[in-house]
Amino acid sequence: MILTETMLKDVSSKFRAAHYHEALLLIDDYLLMAQETNDIEAQCYLYYIALNIDAHLANDANLQRRFTHYESIIQKCDSVLEHLKFEHATAMIQMKIHHDYEHAKKTLLRLLSQMENHNFEQLYPNIYISIYAHLMECFMHLEEINHVLKYYNIIDRIYVQKLLHLDAATYFALHSVLAQSYIEQKQLITAEMIIEDCLTLPQIEQNLKSKGTFLILNSALYALRNDFKTSNQLYEEAMLLVSPNVSRHILNELSSIFIHYL
């Protein structure tokens, strides 16, 4: 049986809807089919989505294992787009496995330029905005807060709105980084608007890691306003969810606040 474009798009749709386990089951089946027919481009397409899912689920063992297979396959692929997607996957490995945010930042900046040179940002907005989100995550970890706002303001708002429907997890990751940058700059009202907006979106219930992140950020806001009781409640609620993606600086600040409070 030959893989069809419809079958590949079905995998992509399940990923965008955050139906990760369903998508991974399809990917395993379709990878076998693609290998049997030696469909290199389809294999690259599937590996890229699988790596994104592993990154969202924080499954480092699978992320590393799949990347090794992906790396061997991409050498045989002629598609410019697939090579650029592989560069994005390489940056994810640098971030999630090696925690080398400086190197990942350089990879992502170069990749954005290449995407724009090929006009791929209009053809593939979901990939383009995902690269931006990971870039800003690097800025947060490197504590380059001014760069977060600078690059967010460069992005066309159309892409940001599309992102919520294309890839809600990345939409939330992008806005959690933005909210954190405003908190660190003590622009609390702006941060609160972003946090409340994201927590009220229905997609947040399918992205518990993101929900935990925003609850912790909300906890930080209440702590900074000296409402320690509410802050602590939010923090405890967040800890019941999947490990949140919050910068070391924010967590350290919260820990310091709680030590004084307790």
Side-chain angles (χ1 to χ4, degrees):
M1 184 176 177
I2 298 174
L3 275 174
T4 65
E5 187 175 346
T6 301
M7 293 162 77
L8 293 176
K9 284 185 175 179
D10 189 32
V11 174
S12 181
S13 296
K14 289 190 183 301
F15 164 57
R16 302 299 169 199
H19 297 158
Y20 297 141
H21 295 293
E22 292 177 36
L24 287 172
L25 287 172
L26 284 179
I27 286 169
D28 287 341
D29 289 343
Y30 292 171
L31 271 173
L32 287 174
M33 293 167 59
Q35 288 161 2
E36 287 172 0
T37 58
N38 200 31
D39 189 338
I40 300 298
E41 194 165 326
Q43 289 179 62
C44 291
Y45 182 97
L46 292 166
Y47 272 122
Y48 176 73
I49 294 176
L51 279 161
N52 272 277
I53 293 173
D54 289 334
H56 282 311
L57 297 176
N59 193 331
D60 292 350
N62 275 350
L63 188 64
Q64 185 68 71
R65 178 180 60 81
R66 286 191 220 271
F67 183 77
T68 301
H69 291 297
Y70 190 13
E71 196 171 23
S72 65
I73 292 295
I74 194 65
Q75 308 302 327
K76 306 171 187 176
C77 185
D78 296 326
S79 166
V80 172
L81 176 64
E82 291 303 330
H83 275 273
L84 293 179
K85 286 160 67 177
F86 176 76
E87 285 297 307
H88 186 200
T90 300
M92 284 192 279
I93 290 290
Q94 291 163 347
M95 294 168 64
K96 308 297 183 182
I97 302 296
H98 303 302
H99 306 291
D100 186 351
Y101 294 101
E102 183 63 42
H103 200 174
K105 178 183 77 172
K106 292 175 181 176
T107 301
L108 293 165
L109 284 169
R110 182 176 66 250
L111 183 54
L112 278 176
S113 177
Q114 292 172 315
M115 289 285 288
E116 289 162 1
N117 288 342
H118 289 90
N119 294 319
F120 282 160
E121 75 273 20
Q122 295 180 23
L123 295 171
Y124 307 101
N126 50 332
I127 298 170
Y128 181 68
I129 198 74
S130 179
I131 294 167
Y132 258 116
H134 282 134
L135 176 61
M136 285 192 273
E137 189 177 337
C138 289
F139 290 145
M140 277 301 299
H141 282 279
L142 295 169
E143 299 186 358
E144 297 175 351
I145 307 303
N146 290 336
H147 284 77
V148 174
L149 298 178
K150 173 186 171 184
Y151 278 84
Y152 182 80
N153 290 330
I154 290 172
I155 307 171
D156 191 315
R157 294 285 82 78
I158 293 172
Y159 294 129
V160 176
Q161 291 307 311
K162 280 185 178 180
L163 181 61
L164 179 61
H165 304 289
L166 290 167
D167 182 356
T170 301
Y171 177 93
F172 290 129
L174 173 64
H175 286 81
S176 71
V177 169
L178 191 65
Q180 288 178 67
S181 71
Y182 280 120
I183 289 173
E184 296 201 4
Q185 295 180 79
K186 300 297 186 284
Q187 297 184 39
L188 304 186
I189 294 175
T190 306
E192 183 178 30
M193 290 171 63
I194 294 169
I195 293 165
E196 287 187 353
D197 180 59
C198 288
L199 283 173
T200 56
L201 289 168
Q203 291 92 334
I204 198 73
E205 297 304 326
Q206 281 77 52
N207 290 271
L208 294 183
K209 180 177 179 179
S210 297
K211 185 175 181 179
T213 299
F214 285 112
L215 287 171
I216 281 199
L217 294 177
N218 222 2
S219 172
L221 284 179
Y222 278 97
L224 289 168
R225 290 166 173 161
N226 298 322
D227 184 347
F228 302 114
K229 182 178 179 181
T230 304
S231 177
N232 198 39
Q233 288 172 348
L234 289 165
Y235 187 84
E236 289 178 354
E237 185 182 349
M239 290 301 101
L240 294 174
L241 301 174
V242 183
S243 298
N245 182 25
V246 181
S247 75
R248 184 184 71 256
H249 185 273
I250 293 281
L251 287 175
N252 288 345
E253 186 169 326
L254 261 180
S255 297
S256 176
I257 290 168
F258 287 149
I259 286 169
H260 290 300
Y261 166 56
L262 296 171

